[in-house]
Amino acid sequence: MSTLFEPWSLRSLTVPNRVWMAPMCQYSAATSGPDTGAVNDWHHTHYTSRAVGGAGLILTEATAVGPEGRISPADLGLWNDRQTEALTGLTRALRERGAVPAIQLAHAGRKAGTRPPWDGGGPLAEDEGPWRPSAPSPVPFAEGCRTPSELTEDGIREVVGQFAASARRALTAGFQVAEVHGAHGYLISEFLSPHSNRRTDSYGGDFAGRTRFALEVVDAVRAVWPDELPLFFRISATDWLAEHGWTPDDTVRFAHDLREHGVDVLDVSSGGNAPDVRVPTEPGYQVPFAARVRREAGLPVAAVGLITEPEQAAKILASGEADAVLLGRQLLREPYWPLRAAKELGGPPSVVPAQYERAY
């Protein structure tokens, strides 16, 4: 049987297979009232269908640690009791269907305060309740975007505290894995890259300064997250810029630091911090970044990016390029992909609801 369907022990947790669901924003939460930012029927259907479909670990979409950290007003959040209680039902449903519930904790930084993509994206208009985003430096993401306010050191400490508070709530809600979102040009990613971090204080400048905020967030989350449960970190391995950007060399160097600070798995993506860059997309185009981290930093990795076929996914693991694969849009197209993959690779799936066992 393919390594795809072998269990993997992370600290005291055993994930039933190596086919995982990548975090993908749904922009479907209520935008006002007591249910603002809370999961609803759409999210339950969306996530539990992938658990029924055989994914061993389900990473929920970027979940804001504070209202101002949302990408859009319709993002999920985890800063109040109502949001925590709503997530409790979802995590229970995922566990009952054999999947490990995982949450991605996020702050959108200078990319906050936009419309959902099907409403055109772009900054909220003045009559849509916009808020001024914050960032390491007052540099807008792109032309036409709001200029963010530069976070003060007090503001940085406040955001670090928000990540810790949301991690506590995630544990209360029943999540078994927490992931810190440090990719795609959102707040932590903005601090990491010299393209977006122009600070001259201890949170900018050299590599140590630019990575300081990220490590403070990791330390704060790890301090409240139980020792027996794993912590992930999502990173953009490169900004895809010719100069003055975050690079694959930086990622490998930073992976050593993350491992020392208690991160168990690096979720390796790329891009998102600079508009209009040319990304050479092809099947598995980000896998080499993950493979290099695994080889040179000794940190377990999950690979993501145009992984669409069972044989392709199986080969990534068999060749030692990654320890798990994260499927994104392929699982939007095909929620039961893991079940098909198990059949094509010649063995039983590792997660099948009792109601479906007679089909296997």
Side-chain angles (χ1 to χ4, degrees):
M1 190 56 194
S2 168
T3 308
L4 273 178
F5 295 97
E6 291 182 357
W8 186 13
S9 293
L10 291 163
R11 298 192 182 233
S12 69
L13 180 69
T14 298
V15 186
N17 63 37
R18 316 295 184 96
V19 185
W20 300 350
M21 181 178 179
M24 291 172 285
C25 289
Q26 297 297 292
Y27 306 106
S28 297
T31 59
S32 62
D35 289 327
T36 297
V39 296
N40 53 37
D41 287 348
W42 170 260
H43 300 96
H44 278 264
T45 300
H46 171 64
Y47 288 114
T48 57
S49 64
R50 274 70 189 179
V52 170
L57 181 143
I58 307 286
L59 260 166
T60 59
E61 61 206 80
T63 303
V65 297
E68 72 290 336
R70 292 172 293 170
I71 304 167
S72 84
D75 283 18
L76 292 187
L78 191 49
W79 64 80
N80 64 40
D81 291 345
R82 173 70 189 107
Q83 295 160 347
T84 307
E85 292 165 4
L87 283 166
T88 301
L90 176 61
T91 61
R92 182 174 59 249
L94 296 180
R95 291 196 307 272
E96 288 174 350
R97 287 155 183 82
V100 170
I103 187 169
Q104 185 185 72
L105 301 176
H107 190 297
R110 64 179 182 169
K111 296 173 80 172
T114 65
R115 301 184 192 93
W118 51 80
D119 287 337
L124 295 168
E126 290 303 319
D127 62 353
E128 295 177 302
W131 61 93
R132 189 179 182 188
S134 56
S137 303
V139 181
F141 172 68
E143 185 177 351
C145 293
R146 285 186 175 83
T147 298
S149 59
E150 180 174 295
L151 278 168
T152 64
E153 292 198 7
D154 285 343
I156 289 171
R157 284 189 286 271
E158 180 180 353
V159 174
V160 171
Q162 288 178 329
F163 271 93
S166 290
R168 288 192 193 95
R169 290 185 177 279
L171 185 65
T172 300
F175 285 98
Q176 294 174 290
V177 174
E179 176 173 272
V180 173
H181 194 355
H184 301 160
Y186 299 121
L187 185 62
I188 294 175
S189 176
E190 293 163 15
F191 269 90
L192 294 176
S193 174
H195 173 74
S196 45
N197 185 344
R198 315 287 175 83
R199 301 175 74 99
T200 58
D201 65 1
S202 60
Y203 288 94
D206 62 8
F207 181 88
R210 288 183 285 108
T211 59
R212 179 183 173 186
F213 172 62
L215 292 177
E216 288 183 354
V217 170
V218 167
D219 287 345
V221 172
R222 185 76 268 181
V224 302
W225 198 246
D227 287 342
E228 64 269 20
L229 294 179
L231 176 64
F232 294 2
F233 189 97
R234 178 165 250 201
I235 197 165
S236 283
T238 176
D239 284 338
W240 296 106
L241 292 170
E243 55 185 12
H244 303 305
W246 183 261
T247 70
D249 289 342
D250 293 327
T251 295
V252 173
R253 181 180 177 184
F254 190 46
H256 286 279
D257 296 336
L258 291 172
R259 185 182 63 182
E260 292 176 1
H261 285 255
V263 169
D264 299 285
V265 174
L266 192 64
D267 171 359
V268 185
S269 188
S270 72
N273 195 38
D276 304 321
V277 296
R278 293 181 61 85
V279 180
T281 55
E282 60 181 6
Y285 70 103
Q286 295 175 151
V287 173
F289 300 130
R292 185 178 169 195
V293 168
R294 190 174 190 265
R295 182 176 64 250
E296 298 182 21
L299 181 64
V301 296
V304 64
L306 284 179
I307 300 172
T308 60
E309 295 302 323
E311 288 285 355
Q312 175 198 16
K315 183 178 179 182
I316 290 168
L317 299 192
S319 63
E321 295 176 284
D323 300 278
V325 293
L326 283 157
L327 273 63
R329 296 181 191 186
Q330 185 61 30
L331 279 180
L332 298 184
R333 293 186 286 265
E334 191 178 358
Y336 286 40
W337 187 95
L339 301 183
R340 175 171 72 86
K343 181 178 179 181
E344 291 186 10
L345 294 171
S350 51
V351 181
V352 179
Q355 297 90 333
Y356 288 8
E357 285 179 355
R358 64 181 181 271
Y360 294 90

